[in-house]
Amino acid sequence: MLSQQELDNLLTILKEPNKPFEQIAQTFYRSFTKPDQFKAGCVICMLIQDNLLTQTQRLVGFYLLYDIYRQETEATTPFVPLVLEMVETTNDMAERKFLLQFLSSLPKELPKQSVQGFLQSCDPAEDPVIPDMDALRRMHQESAPVVNSAQALGLRPVINDKSDEGYWVPSDPSREDFDDLSGVSDLQLKPEELTLLSLEPAWARPVPPLLEATVDEVFWLSPSQLLSEPLWDYTMCADTSLGAEVRELFAKAVKTQLPADQAQVIIDGLGQDVKLVYHCGLTPKKLPELVEHNPQIAIEVLLKLMGSSQISNYFQALVNMDMSLHSLEVVNKLTTAVDLPHEFIHLYISNCISSCENIKDKYMQNRLVRLVCVFLTSLIKHKIINVKELFIEVQAFCIEFSRIGEAASLFRLLKNLER
């Protein structure tokens, strides 16, 4: 509602027992703009209701609440309910006399008086006459705008500690330090404790009653014979912590390399529950990242997804990703473990050859060419591919990089197979 600086300024204004009321009001108007005066008034109300102010500070606060709307033409003001409540509940006769002036006619000399001057002029034995408060409330309610009933019943969310240690203002007015204004500052009053937000009562929503069943509904809603055997849900009370842990580790695995123990948790989890691979959150779009950071986990996942209808999408992601040592490792492991589609293998080999030809860094080019040659040699020796279908493309690749020993060896292998 107010910032810490604004709250400090307001408390400083309230600590002026020896200045005339009108001079205090002018200081207040210089410190707060017109839109902020209502917020400051609300804070004053809260401080008064929670007994956080001394006697002199309360009187200054009441005067400011009156003076804010003194020039307005409305029949009532937002702070009238607080004045009416305090007139009835206060035990301070001087405060009651001070408030009753706002409900009738304000004396012309009051703005020029100070708080101390007003208190000295009050007779402590005099008990002022209280007017008809119910009539004043009705006048205020008729003139005030309608407030939502739920908001009207709301409570402030801040409850102050009323213990001896937590009570903010001395309760004994006879104490010499009662008007010592340093006490409130030492309490470290925070702006978030002064808010108009309220805790409103929750609406009761009773469960609607069941409708009377019709004749045609009775047959299937109320079976005449119970089943001979109960149907058990064996998934009830099952331990789902493993699945949650695997999903959490998968989210990390696509971003960074996992330690060996965490990677083993994923591999063991996939081994215990085959269906877990469909709920781990791995999509074809994320597969290249998993391959680069954790190739062993990618191999296990792809092996579990071989029976999935989406496996072709994962193969397509492998073909389209940039060639690397890890992607070669994953594809090589898959070729030795399962029968991969020939189209996928041929497309992947073509992608590898194209990647080697397009790379500009000579060192990285030589390294990748060696890896591809070793990969192709393994596929040919294990008869995983039909070399005749790729003979021309692979031969051209070997001739282009004949300076590299692995490419020369692969070329001689091709020539031997040609005989």
Side-chain angles (χ1 to χ4, degrees):
M1 181 176 291
L2 294 181
S3 66
Q4 186 65 56
Q5 183 62 44
E6 291 173 331
L7 181 58
D8 293 341
N9 292 340
L10 178 61
L11 293 176
T12 302
I13 293 172
L14 296 176
K15 300 173 186 178
E16 299 290 351
N18 298 316
K19 290 184 178 181
F21 285 110
E22 59 182 4
Q23 184 177 346
I24 297 174
Q26 292 303 318
T27 305
F28 175 81
Y29 296 136
R30 287 195 299 268
S31 302
F32 296 93
T33 61
K34 188 66 176 178
D36 291 335
Q37 291 172 12
F38 172 73
K39 296 192 295 183
C42 293
V43 171
I44 294 174
C45 289
M46 296 174 192
L47 294 173
I48 293 174
Q49 289 177 316
D50 293 344
N51 294 325
L52 303 181
L53 300 177
T54 63
Q55 182 190 38
T56 58
Q57 292 170 344
R58 288 169 67 92
L59 296 183
V60 173
F62 282 125
Y63 184 84
L64 292 176
L65 294 180
Y66 162 79
D67 203 65
I68 291 174
Y69 289 93
R70 182 166 57 88
Q71 304 296 336
E72 301 293 335
T73 57
E74 287 85 353
T76 186
T77 70
F79 308 123
V80 168
L82 175 67
V83 175
L84 298 178
E85 178 186 353
M86 291 299 134
V87 168
E88 292 179 324
T89 59
T90 184
N91 295 321
D92 187 345
M93 294 300 105
E95 181 176 303
R96 178 173 294 172
K97 180 181 178 181
F98 188 78
L99 293 176
L100 287 175
Q101 298 178 97
F102 300 142
L103 301 179
S104 55
S105 59
L106 190 68
K108 295 181 179 180
E109 66 275 6
L110 180 62
K112 300 184 181 299
Q113 282 185 313
S114 65
V115 179
Q116 294 292 359
F118 173 80
L119 292 176
Q120 292 172 2
S121 66
C122 288
D123 183 3
E126 180 184 357
D127 188 3
V129 179
I130 300 178
D132 187 357
M133 305 301 288
D134 292 335
L136 294 174
R137 284 194 177 88
R138 285 194 298 272
M139 291 173 58
H140 170 73
Q141 292 173 355
E142 291 173 358
S143 303
V146 179
V147 180
N148 182 282
S149 57
Q151 294 179 347
L153 296 176
L155 300 175
R156 281 185 55 205
V158 178
I159 301 176
N160 295 309
D161 183 7
K162 295 296 184 180
S163 64
D164 293 340
E165 296 80 4
Y167 205 50
W168 292 22
V169 177
S171 58
D172 186 4
S174 65
R175 287 177 51 181
E176 295 180 357
D177 62 344
F178 183 73
D179 285 330
D180 181 9
L181 304 179
S182 62
V184 176
S185 299
D186 296 338
L187 297 171
Q188 297 181 351
L189 188 62
K190 299 180 179 179
E192 57 265 23
E193 296 176 338
L194 303 171
T195 173
L196 289 178
L197 299 177
S198 61
L199 297 175
E200 301 171 6
W203 292 101
R205 294 179 174 87
V207 178
L210 293 176
L211 298 175
E212 291 292 335
T214 60
V215 176
D216 57 337
E217 290 177 320
V218 173
F219 177 76
W220 61 275
L221 283 177
S222 304
S224 57
Q225 295 180 353
L226 295 176
L227 298 176
S228 58
E229 295 182 1
L231 298 177
W232 297 103
D233 183 2
Y234 293 99
T235 62
M236 291 177 61
C237 302
D239 184 11
T240 59
S241 58
L242 177 62
E245 184 178 9
V246 170
R247 283 191 294 272
E248 182 179 354
L249 291 176
F250 254 108
K252 297 179 180 179
V254 297
K255 298 178 181 179
T256 184
Q257 182 180 358
L258 295 181
D261 56 339
Q262 293 184 354
Q264 192 61 42
V265 170
I266 294 180
I267 295 174
D268 293 342
L270 295 177
Q272 295 177 25
D273 186 0
V274 179
K275 294 183 179 180
L276 192 59
V277 71
Y278 299 103
H279 308 289
C280 62
L282 180 67
T283 61
K285 186 178 180 180
K286 297 179 180 179
L287 179 62
E289 297 177 354
L290 181 64
V291 170
E292 289 301 325
H293 293 112
N294 296 277
Q296 291 299 326
I297 297 177
I299 293 170
E300 293 295 329
V301 170
L302 291 172
L303 289 176
K304 296 292 189 297
L305 288 171
M306 281 301 170
S308 170
S309 59
Q310 299 294 320
I311 189 61
S312 58
N313 295 330
Y314 290 95
F315 285 155
Q316 188 66 36
L318 273 179
V319 169
N320 294 334
M321 71 177 290
D322 295 336
M323 191 198 74
S324 64
L325 173 61
H326 288 165
S327 68
L328 282 171
E329 178 185 356
V330 170
V331 175
N332 187 51
K333 289 288 185 180
L334 291 177
T335 57
T336 58
V338 295
D339 293 331
L340 296 178
H342 292 293
E343 295 82 2
F344 162 70
I345 299 178
H346 291 175
L347 284 174
Y348 186 76
I349 293 174
S350 298
N351 180 54
C352 291
I353 294 175
S354 177
S355 298
C356 291
E357 293 172 346
N358 295 330
I359 193 168
K360 303 300 182 182
D361 189 331
K362 288 297 182 182
Y363 172 78
M364 288 300 301
Q365 186 182 56
N366 293 343
R367 185 168 181 266
L368 290 180
V369 168
R370 291 190 182 95
L371 293 175
V372 172
C373 290
V374 172
F375 173 64
L376 291 174
T377 301
S378 175
L379 294 180
I380 294 172
K381 288 184 177 180
H382 290 90
K383 298 182 179 180
I384 295 175
I385 61 172
N386 185 359
V387 71
K388 293 182 179 180
E389 298 177 358
L390 297 169
F391 186 84
I392 297 176
E393 186 176 6
V394 174
Q395 186 181 48
F397 171 73
C398 295
I399 294 173
E400 182 178 358
F401 299 101
S402 58
R403 68 182 184 279
I404 299 175
E406 287 79 0
S409 299
L410 178 59
F411 184 78
R412 286 193 296 270
L413 177 62
L414 293 176
K415 287 300 181 181
N416 292 333
L417 293 175
E418 191 180 11
R419 296 174 182 175

